[in-house]
Amino acid sequence: MSNIQVSLSKTKAEMESVAITDNIRLAEDDQSVIIIDQVRLPNELVYKSIDNLEDAYQAIKKLEVRGAPAIGIFAGYAIYMLSKKDEEKDFASFYESFIRNKDYLNASRPTAVNLSWALKRMDKIVNDNQDKPVKEIVKLLKQEAIAIHNEDIEMCLKICENGLSLLKDGDGVLTHCNAGPLATSFGTAQGPFLLAKARGMNIHVYADETRPLLQGARLTSYELQKAGVDVTLICDNMASIVMKNGWINACFVGCDRIAANGDTANKIGTSGVAILAKHYGIPVYSLGPSSTIDMNCPDGDHIHIELRDPDEIKNMWYAKPMALPEVKCYNPSFDVTDHELLTGIVTEKGIVYPPFDVNLKKLFNE
Ligand code: MRU
């Protein structure tokens, strides 16, 4: 495993000069959580205020807030915001409502571990402080939600540094889906490209459009273009030709859940990228915070893959149906990349190399 020591305040200032930094925040009165509505990008940059359970659930479900770490950060603030509205209750009814809110939010999307991870952390705060007045518990929930966010900032900055250490000026990198500042705080898989830009390095990024919901086209190319990164958008089925052309030195992808053996769930299509890269001898790195590693999940077969509405494939295009209504569709939102296809897993704690089952364990024991 390798890691590099960095001054995070310098990295933070560099990233702030190129990255979107306000994708999720708590309103000043703590009565709502404000997000950038990612569904409306790239055509409109709209901030949406979420102030109730159903809207919070739908924001995650409909991908208004998306990306594994961002869902965790949002869930922390959302459960705090909902708890704040209940702070006059006695403990028993406060906790009953807390559990109901938590379980409902947790059911919004199954694959990214960060959602349940953040909610479990918030639940632990309530459990560990049952003897305190409810208002006091609510204050502690706020602190925990902010801590989850701040830790993500720190993890992202370290991942950006660790990821950038794998690149040199002039490299071409292929990426899939969106794992930039919109999906996290400062970005995981796409964070190093932004840091490279801030440091005057030239990295050529090829962004898969990422069917069916186009996170690559709508979000990744938006974030990178706005920052002045040299980004070229391609359709997913063009990944092979750009690799064959010799334009790709590495693939950087994000992750929604990493199993203990290194099998990695990420946006549907990621495993195809990794299989192609193996054919062309190109290294593939999965970049994500250690909060995305689920040591309780032995391998990819145990990762629950979200199935989404067939309409995303059939009816969300050109305002006209793209297939006959009776045509069957299979719309898994994620796939699992076999650990054998990964060159390394880039975390805030360092870059983990095979054997992943051994080295991921070490990561948590060091
Ligand atoms: O369905 P999405 O858009 O939430 O899927 C997101 C991804 O697959 C990202 O690559 C992953 O969450 C990593 S985000 C840092």
Side-chain angles (χ1 to χ4, degrees):
M1 195 179 83
S2 70
N3 196 3
I4 43 178
Q5 294 303 313
V6 291
S7 153
L8 284 187
S9 55
K10 177 176 168 282
T11 312
K12 189 160 185 261
E14 289 170 321
M15 288 302 286
E16 279 167 348
S17 73
V18 283
I20 293 167
T21 54
D22 59 351
N23 60 337
I24 305 168
R25 72 191 151 83
L26 200 55
E28 266 172 32
D29 61 4
D30 292 2
Q31 290 301 311
S32 61
V33 185
I34 299 164
I35 57 167
I36 291 180
D37 183 347
Q38 297 190 39
V39 171
R40 295 172 75 167
L41 286 170
N43 298 311
E44 296 168 293
L45 178 59
V46 174
Y47 291 85
K48 183 166 181 177
S49 177
I50 309 281
D51 65 1
N52 63 74
L53 178 63
E54 187 56 29
D55 286 358
Y57 174 91
Q58 293 297 340
I60 301 174
K61 181 100 194 148
K62 291 183 181 161
L63 275 53
E64 291 166 356
V65 59
R66 50 144 299 283
I71 297 172
I73 296 165
F74 174 75
Y77 283 137
I79 196 84
Y80 159 66
M81 172 270 290
L82 296 166
S83 303
K84 176 87 182 151
K85 295 180 196 294
D86 285 338
E87 69 179 356
E88 300 297 340
K89 292 182 175 169
D90 61 52
F91 182 79
S93 48
F94 169 81
Y95 196 45
E96 194 187 302
S97 157
F98 179 91
I99 292 293
R100 208 177 31 247
N101 295 341
K102 176 183 83 75
D103 289 349
Y104 190 53
L105 287 179
N106 199 32
S108 56
R109 293 193 81 190
T111 304
V113 69
N114 312 60
L115 176 60
S116 56
W117 170 85
L119 290 169
K120 265 185 212 143
R121 272 181 66 162
M122 298 298 277
D123 190 25
K124 186 168 186 317
I125 293 295
V126 182
N127 267 303
D128 290 355
N129 294 283
Q130 295 191 29
D131 54 327
K132 302 202 170 88
V134 170
K135 279 195 177 172
E136 193 56 39
I137 298 174
V138 170
K139 274 191 196 144
L140 294 171
L141 284 172
K142 179 174 184 177
Q143 281 172 22
E144 190 69 359
I146 293 170
I148 290 171
H149 195 172
N150 283 339
E151 285 165 28
D152 189 72
I153 290 173
E154 197 177 315
M155 290 192 283
C156 280
L157 295 172
K158 289 180 179 166
I159 291 167
C160 291
E161 289 284 0
N162 288 336
L164 187 55
S165 75
L166 297 165
L167 300 177
K168 57 181 191 321
D169 204 21
D171 272 355
V173 187
L174 185 134
T175 193
H176 191 77
C177 197
N178 176 261
L182 287 164
T184 61
S185 46
F186 279 111
T188 54
Q190 284 115 35
F193 314 144
L194 294 166
L195 188 56
K197 176 69 196 171
R199 292 188 180 163
M201 275 172 75
N202 193 16
I203 302 294
H204 311 283
V205 180
Y206 291 83
D208 277 356
E209 65 172 351
T210 317
R211 278 281 270 142
L213 293 180
L214 300 179
Q215 288 91 333
R218 293 187 301 102
L219 308 173
T220 299
S221 71
Y222 172 87
E223 286 181 323
L224 296 180
Q225 186 73 38
K226 289 268 179 205
V229 174
D230 178 6
V231 58
T232 302
L233 180 63
I234 58 171
C235 298
D236 300 340
N237 51 7
M238 298 167 191
S240 177
I241 196 168
V242 295
M243 290 186 193
K244 188 169 186 189
N245 288 350
W247 297 344
I248 307 298
N249 300 92
C251 299
F252 276 21
V253 292
C255 44
D256 284 81
R257 192 181 294 244
I258 300 180
N261 72 342
D263 289 352
T264 297
N266 192 48
K267 179 51 55 191
I268 189 74
T270 304
S271 70
V273 167
I275 291 165
L276 283 176
K278 182 172 183 171
H279 177 77
Y280 291 109
I282 296 167
V284 178
Y285 295 96
S286 171
L287 294 86
S290 56
S291 54
T292 309
I293 301 169
D294 183 357
M295 293 304 279
N296 296 319
C297 177
D299 55 44
D301 290 345
H302 290 81
I303 299 177
H304 181 169
I305 300 292
E306 176 185 10
L307 287 178
R308 292 185 64 88
D309 192 334
D311 258 14
E312 292 179 348
I313 301 177
K314 290 202 287 190
N315 281 328
M316 286 178 64
W317 301 87
Y318 313 118
K320 279 187 189 167
M322 298 307 293
L324 291 173
E326 63 270 31
V327 168
K328 284 190 289 181
C329 276
Y330 173 52
N331 186 16
S333 193
F334 301 93
D335 61 21
V336 174
T337 300
D338 192 285
H339 63 277
E340 287 184 359
L341 297 169
L342 291 178
T343 310
I345 297 173
V346 182
T347 75
E348 79 282 6
K349 296 173 192 245
I351 303 170
V352 184
Y353 291 100
F356 292 118
D357 53 348
V358 175
N359 291 336
L360 284 174
K361 233 181 245 154
K362 278 193 198 154
L363 192 74
F364 288 98
N365 293 333
E366 272 167 6

